[in-house]
Amino acid sequence: MSFDLEIRAADWRAHLATTHAALPGLVPVIKGNGYGLGRQRLAREAGALGLETIAAGTYEEADELLGAFTGDVQVLTPWRPFSRRVADARVVHTLGRLEDIPALAAQLPGARVLVEIETSMARHGFDRHRLTEAARAIAEAGLVVEGFAMHLPMTGGNLDEARMWCAVLATSALETTTVFCSHLTGPQLEQLRTERPQLTIRPRVGTSLWLGRLDAFSVRATVMDVHTIQRGERIGYRQGRVPRAGHVLVIAGGTSHGIGLEAPRAVTGVAGRSKAAAKGGLAAAGLALSPFTIDGKLRWFVEPPHMQASMVLLPEGATVPAVGDTVPAQVRYTIASFDTIREA
């Protein structure tokens, strides 16, 4: 069984270096499945770039990354009394509720923290009316405030909101002036630095750093078996009828690899809604395109993918791969898992 990723390492690392150079103060985000590449691999790459801080999503991830990275590890998820206890002094916690301040101070005296801002995301943090109060309460509790966290939406028009928050911080008379922010472009970051020179603006970046050179990645799936089938034959777990004659290919790669899994998508505009409606109609008819390209085309699943393999219909007339051949696959890297990751 082999569902594999090959990385053109020189091209990928050149992109990492270019991004690092273009974004002063960069804090790489390393969370979830490590963007398909693995968290520890990314932690090692961050170290190779000479970076002194990374950001993990959860305390469980932070605990793991402390062993792969020698610098500081910020935790993006705000601390709660029930969070996993990670007492390493290199961990930088995030606080977003007043009631958590004394609890963290009691559990980890002198802990280093970031103050989460409640942006228009409305996910975590303090609103602008309580931000100064929170920062002072944290300092009075004996915790070390190392900056503010500003997590912005992914809509692209974030500069005005970032300006507003920077204005609040610049006029708050707080000693801490470092702001860690997300989803701002390089030019937007430079504009903020020009407008607010008293603040230190540091970007936290995940997707565009690690997945910014997708052309350097190649996903290949191995053909495990090939069967000749006739129209109307019943096959698979669900014994559905095959709609046309040809071949069924059993290909490495199933739900455990992220194949066939899908997150809800934001749909906007007439074209987007039309595509979603058409896709929903096909799904209602039991038809779904696989991510596997065979003889130049994406091919249809015979049935929903299995845990470690997929059954794909190849119609008569198409070139049939042999057992052991590999075929390219399209993946969503943030949910993908590979049997092997190789560097070329």
Side-chain angles (χ1 to χ4, degrees), residues 99-113:
E99 55 264 46
D100 291 330
I101 297 171
L104 177 60
Q107 185 180 118
L108 296 171
R112 305 159 65 194
V113 302

Side-chain angles (χ1 to χ4, degrees), residues 70-286:
T70 59
D72 294 337
V73 181
Q74 298 178 354
V75 183
L76 299 176
T77 300
W79 185 88
R80 295 289 185 263
F82 48 79
S83 296
R84 179 171 179 169
R85 190 176 190 275
V86 183
D88 195 296
R90 291 184 291 141
V91 172
V92 183
H93 310 268
T94 299
L95 285 173
R97 303 191 309 167
L98 287 173
E99 55 264 46
D100 291 330
I101 297 171
L104 177 60
Q107 185 180 118
L108 296 171
R112 305 159 65 194
V113 302
L114 299 178
V115 183
E116 182 85 14
I117 294 170
E118 185 186 8
T119 67
S120 59
M121 281 278 295
R123 193 164 74 173
H124 301 297
F126 299 99
D127 66 26
R128 63 189 180 89
H129 303 292
R130 307 192 76 180
L131 195 60
T132 300
E133 174 192 0
R136 287 175 177 158
I138 291 169
E140 290 170 2
L143 301 171
V144 180
V145 179
E146 299 212 341
F148 297 86
M150 182 167 58
H151 193 65
L152 296 162
M154 297 176 66
T155 53
N158 293 324
L159 182 58
D160 287 344
E161 182 174 4
R163 278 174 162 164
M164 183 273 288
W165 284 113
C166 286
V168 170
L169 295 173
T171 58
S172 64
L174 294 170
E175 293 183 6
T176 303
T177 58
T178 301
V179 185
F180 296 91
C181 53
S182 62
H183 305 141
L184 291 171
T185 66
Q188 289 172 335
L189 291 164
E190 287 306 314
Q191 189 166 342
L192 286 177
R193 291 184 180 111
T194 299
E195 294 175 359
R196 299 291 176 183
Q198 66 272 56
L199 298 179
T200 300
I201 310 293
R202 299 192 61 180
R204 297 199 290 204
V205 183
T207 303
S208 62
L209 174 65
W210 305 120
L211 301 180
R213 275 295 305 269
L214 291 181
D215 63 307
F217 298 164
S218 175
V219 179
R220 307 286 301 188
T222 302
V223 177
M224 305 300 294
D225 227 326
V226 179
H227 305 296
T228 302
I229 45 92
Q230 299 300 319
R231 183 184 179 201
E233 280 190 44
R234 291 187 179 275
I235 62 173
Y237 277 132
R238 293 160 182 81
Q239 289 293 285
R241 292 187 183 276
V242 178
R244 58 195 301 185
H247 294 84
V248 168
L249 309 183
V250 182
I251 301 175
T255 55
S256 67
H257 299 93
I259 298 298
L261 305 184
E262 187 174 9
R265 295 179 181 272
V267 179
T268 58
V270 175
R273 291 188 178 93
S274 298
K275 290 178 182 178
K279 188 174 181 179
L282 289 170

Side-chain angles (χ1 to χ4, degrees), residues 292-304:
F292 305 107
T293 298
I294 304 161
D295 197 20
K297 295 182 180 179
L298 290 174
R299 301 298 176 174
W300 297 94
F301 283 121
V302 169
E303 64 177 4

